[in-house]
Amino acid sequence: MIVQDLNFDQTVAMAKAKAESMIQNGLYSRFGLSEKERLDKALLGCIGELAFQKHLKNPGIPFKLDKTDFQSQHSDEFDVKVNGAKIDIKVAKKTTANPPTDNWTYGYPQEQHPETKDYVVVGWVDFNRKEVGFYGWIRGEQIVRFKVVTRNSYAKYPYLTPNHEFKWGCLTKDLNEILK
């Protein structure tokens, strides 16, 4: 599901400002990345979060944001809350012209404790097509049952930390089920 009516360039600009502020205010860096790499990683996540907020705003679904002050706490508890449910938004940078499939895999960092989230929504950011999409969702408690790996089994790249990995086919495709 591609986010409709998303001004991609404006979203990227807003995400960049948010990511820069988060890093300046102490966002935890668990990967030992350079400042540019940290910014790129935070930017991608912020784009996903802002696009999901747009997806919620389009039909008027009320939500709350985690307003974590990264100077006092180095990571957030959730990205949005809908009807009291903690939702974590995870996106990957899409590097192929092919659409996502059920065989793609996603690695959720073990140290982010997926069991503390009610739902994890997984999607992609395509910089070439200037679009953001969401493939589906999974319960945080389900993610911890998946094997922990250090290399993506589909695309073969190494993960920066150990991840619970699952196929996109494990995701429930109907986002409305968690937004009611």
Side-chain angles (χ1 to χ4, degrees):
M1 184 269 331
I2 295 170
V3 178
Q4 300 300 308
D5 302 323
L6 181 71
N7 182 324
F8 188 82
D9 293 330
Q10 180 183 35
T11 301
V12 170
M14 290 173 23
K16 184 175 183 201
K18 180 179 178 186
E20 287 171 344
S21 174
M22 289 166 56
I23 289 171
Q24 288 171 0
N25 290 322
L27 175 68
Y28 176 61
S29 176
R30 63 189 183 281
F31 301 122
L33 303 174
S34 71
E35 189 161 329
K36 183 192 179 320
E37 291 168 323
R38 286 180 69 202
L39 179 61
D40 289 346
K41 191 155 189 54
L43 171 66
L44 189 64
C46 289
I47 291 169
E49 291 171 20
L50 291 170
F52 193 73
Q53 291 168 33
K54 174 70 173 169
H55 174 69
L56 296 172
K57 287 176 187 173
N58 282 343
I61 296 171
F63 62 92
K64 292 182 181 174
L65 298 175
D66 183 335
K67 301 283 190 181
T68 296
D69 174 2
F70 292 106
Q71 290 179 337
S72 61
Q73 185 174 328
H74 297 299
S75 62
D76 56 11
E77 189 180 341
F78 58 90
D79 292 325
V80 297
K81 267 189 186 179
V82 175
N83 296 322
K86 295 178 190 173
I87 301 175
D88 195 14
I89 310 304
K90 294 294 187 187
V91 292
K93 182 178 178 182
K94 188 169 171 278
T95 58
T96 175
N98 299 328
T101 72
D102 281 356
N103 289 322
W104 283 17
T105 52
Y106 190 84
Y108 191 101
Q110 181 181 28
E111 64 188 27
Q112 287 187 5
H113 301 284
E115 69 278 6
T116 64
K117 314 303 188 292
D118 294 303
Y119 304 106
V120 174
V121 173
V122 177
W124 70 93
V125 176
D126 187 329
F127 287 94
N128 293 326
R129 296 178 61 124
K130 294 188 173 192
E131 68 183 20
V132 180
F134 297 104
Y135 200 74
W137 61 270
I138 187 169
R139 291 182 187 279
E141 64 191 20
Q142 289 176 272
I143 294 173
V144 295
R145 294 187 211 130
F146 287 98
K147 188 169 131 182
V148 174
V149 299
T150 57
R151 178 172 293 279
N152 182 286
S153 62
Y154 182 80
K156 307 299 182 206
Y157 59 83
Y159 289 123
L160 298 173
T161 62
N163 283 252
H164 293 281
E165 187 180 74
F166 53 89
K167 287 189 174 193
W168 286 35
C170 295
L171 300 170
T172 299
K173 309 300 187 292
D174 186 359
L175 287 178
N176 290 326
E177 288 185 31
I178 63 171
L179 301 177
K180 294 176 183 170

